[in-house]
Amino acid sequence: MDKSERIEIGIVLYPQAQMAAVLGLTDLFMIAERMAALHGPEHAPALRLTHWKPKSPAGAPVRIHDSRPSDGGMPRTLILPPSLEAPISPQAAAPYVNWLISRHQAGTMLASVCAGAFLLGETGLLAGRTITTHWRYTEKFNARFPGVKLNVDQLIIDDGDILTAGGAMAWTDLGLHLVDRYLGAVVMIETAQTLLIDPPGRQQRYYSAFAPRMSHGDAAILAVQHWLRETGAKHVSLADMARRAGMEERTFLRRFRKATGMTTTDYAQRLRVARAREMLQTTVAPIDTIAWKVGYNDPGAFRKVFTRVVGLTPGAYRQRFSTGTGG
C-alpha cells in the first residue's frame, strides 16, 4: 500500500456520545499508524482521523477535527461510538440518518459500538442483518427494530459494509479490528501490546449476565419466571412449570416461547449456568460440586451446557474471572 493513500476513519459525535471512547479510538489509531511506520515508513499508509458533528441542530455532520491537512475525500469508515446515557431517540437521530445512508451508499463502511447501534438502526440499513450491541439493550433494541436479528453473544460482528461491537468498552476491540483490516495483523498485535489490551477474539457472552425478557405482559408466564428464579430451576420439569401456570403443557410451551423467546429447556439451563458462574467466581468449590448444587447430576452434561452457553469451559471461566475468595 502506497504511503500517499490516506485511510480516513471518522468518528461521529452524536448527542451524548461517550467522549472517552472518541478520544481513546483517536489515540489507538494514531498509535497504530506509528507502529506501521516502524515496519517501513515509505510504504506505511497514512491514517486520517476525523471527528464529525452538525454545526446546526438540523444540519448534516461536517468535519470538526482532522488529524491531517484537509484534502476532502470520503471516510473509509464512520464509527458511531457508545453512549453512557439512554440510547439516542428517533428525533435526536433524525439529522444523522440521511447523511449516514448517503455515506454508506457512496461506499463508506458504518460501524457502531454499544448504544451506537440505535443510531445505526434508525437508518434502516440493518434490516435483515445480524448485529450486536450491549446485552442489556436486547429487549429495547428488539422492540424498536424488529426486523434486525441480534446476537449479543458476540462482541464483534463484521458484515463487510456494516461492523457492530457490543459493550461500551468494546471500542478497543472494534479499533483493533479496523487496524487489522487496514494495517495488517502484525500492526494490530503490536498496537494491542502497546496499549496492554486483548486482541479481538473475545465474546460478549463471557461477561453477560442472564437477562430474560420480563416485560412481555403474560402474567402467567411471568409468575413461572419468578418461580424459576427463586428455585434456581433445579430439578424442575415441564409438568411442574405448566401446573404452576395453570395450563396444559402444549399451551404452556407455546406461550412461554412467545413471551420469552426461548424454550423452557434453554431458559432453565441459562438460569442454572448463571448461578454456576456466580459460584465459580466467588467460591473455591470443586466444579463437580457446583454442577450438583445448580441441578446437574451428571458433571459432564453440566460442562457441556456451560461451555455452549458461556463459550468457555467452567475451569477456563474460573481461571479468568475468579475473585480468588473462598466461601
Side-chain angles (χ1 to χ4, degrees), residues 22-99:
V22 172
L23 299 177
L25 280 164
T26 302
D27 289 344
L28 184 150
F29 291 128
M30 291 295 94
I31 290 171
E33 184 182 29
R34 228 172 283 155
M35 295 295 107
L38 294 176
H39 289 277
E42 69 280 4
H43 299 296
L47 285 183
R48 178 186 180 194
L49 269 295
T50 55
H51 297 171
W52 295 74
K53 187 177 182 179
K55 283 190 173 180
S56 63
V62 297
R63 290 182 182 92
I64 62 167
H65 166 78
D66 200 330
S67 65
R68 295 182 177 277
S70 179
D71 58 358
M74 180 177 67
R76 191 80 64 90
T77 297
L78 282 170
I79 299 173
L80 309 176
S83 171
L84 296 182
E85 305 299 326
I88 192 170
S89 68
Q91 295 76 21
Y96 300 84
V97 170
N98 288 336
W99 176 73

Side-chain angles (χ1 to χ4, degrees), residues 123-160:
T123 66
L125 296 170
L126 299 183
R129 296 181 187 251
T130 298
I131 67 109
T132 190
T133 185
H134 196 291
W135 58 271
R136 286 191 184 276
Y137 289 139
T138 299
E139 191 169 346
K140 187 175 290 188
F141 192 92
N142 283 335
R144 196 156 146 189
F145 307 107
V148 183
K149 183 178 178 182
L150 280 185
N151 181 358
V152 295
D153 283 347
Q154 300 302 316
L155 203 62
I156 292 270
I157 294 181
D158 188 340
D159 203 23

Side-chain angles (χ1 to χ4, degrees), residues 253-281:
L253 282 172
R254 177 178 53 79
R255 282 188 40 188
F256 189 92
R257 181 151 200 168
K258 181 181 179 182
T260 67
M262 304 172 70
T263 65
T264 54
T265 299
D266 195 28
Y267 193 97
Q269 286 177 340
R270 287 176 180 268
L271 273 176
R272 295 180 196 130
V273 166
R275 176 59 183 143
R277 288 168 69 160
E278 293 174 9
M279 297 176 70
L280 286 166
Q281 288 177 235

Side-chain angles (χ1 to χ4, degrees), residues 87-265:
I88 192 170
S89 68
Q91 295 76 21
Y96 300 84
V97 170
N98 288 336
W99 176 73
L100 287 170
I101 293 171
S102 67
R103 292 298 89 212
H104 182 260
Q105 290 174 341
T108 296
M109 179 174 71
L110 301 182
S112 68
V113 183
C114 193
F118 284 80
L119 175 51
L120 193 51
E122 289 295 328
T123 66
L125 296 170
L126 299 183
R129 296 181 187 251
T130 298
I131 67 109
T132 190
T133 185
H134 196 291
W135 58 271
R136 286 191 184 276
Y137 289 139
T138 299
E139 191 169 346
K140 187 175 290 188
F141 192 92
N142 283 335
R144 196 156 146 189
F145 307 107
V148 183
K149 183 178 178 182
L150 280 185
N151 181 358
V152 295
D153 283 347
Q154 300 302 316
L155 203 62
I156 292 270
I157 294 181
D158 188 340
D159 203 23
D161 58 333
I162 298 286
L163 177 62
T164 54
M169 288 303 296
W171 62 263
T172 62
D173 299 82
L174 181 136
L176 291 175
H177 190 88
L178 290 174
V179 170
D180 190 5
R181 174 180 288 206
Y182 295 137
L183 302 180
V186 172
V187 173
M188 182 272 288
I189 294 294
E190 290 176 346
T191 303
Q193 290 173 337
T194 300
L195 293 170
L196 299 181
I197 55 178
D198 288 337
R202 298 181 295 150
Q203 295 186 40
Q204 191 171 185
R205 60 180 171 168
Y206 298 169
Y207 307 91
S208 58
F210 179 43
R213 190 187 302 168
M214 307 289 280
S215 59
H216 44 70
D218 191 325
I221 298 302
L222 185 61
V224 173
Q225 289 178 269
H226 286 310
W227 176 66
L228 288 172
R229 173 69 72 179
E230 291 167 8
T231 62
K234 289 174 62 177
H235 311 298
V236 173
S237 68
L238 171 60
D240 294 331
M241 288 185 268
R243 188 162 46 249
R244 191 87 182 180
M247 303 176 196
E248 294 183 353
E249 290 184 13
R250 208 166 153 188
T251 302
F252 173 75
L253 282 172
R254 177 178 53 79
R255 282 188 40 188
F256 189 92
R257 181 151 200 168
K258 181 181 179 182
T260 67
M262 304 172 70
T263 65
T264 54
T265 299

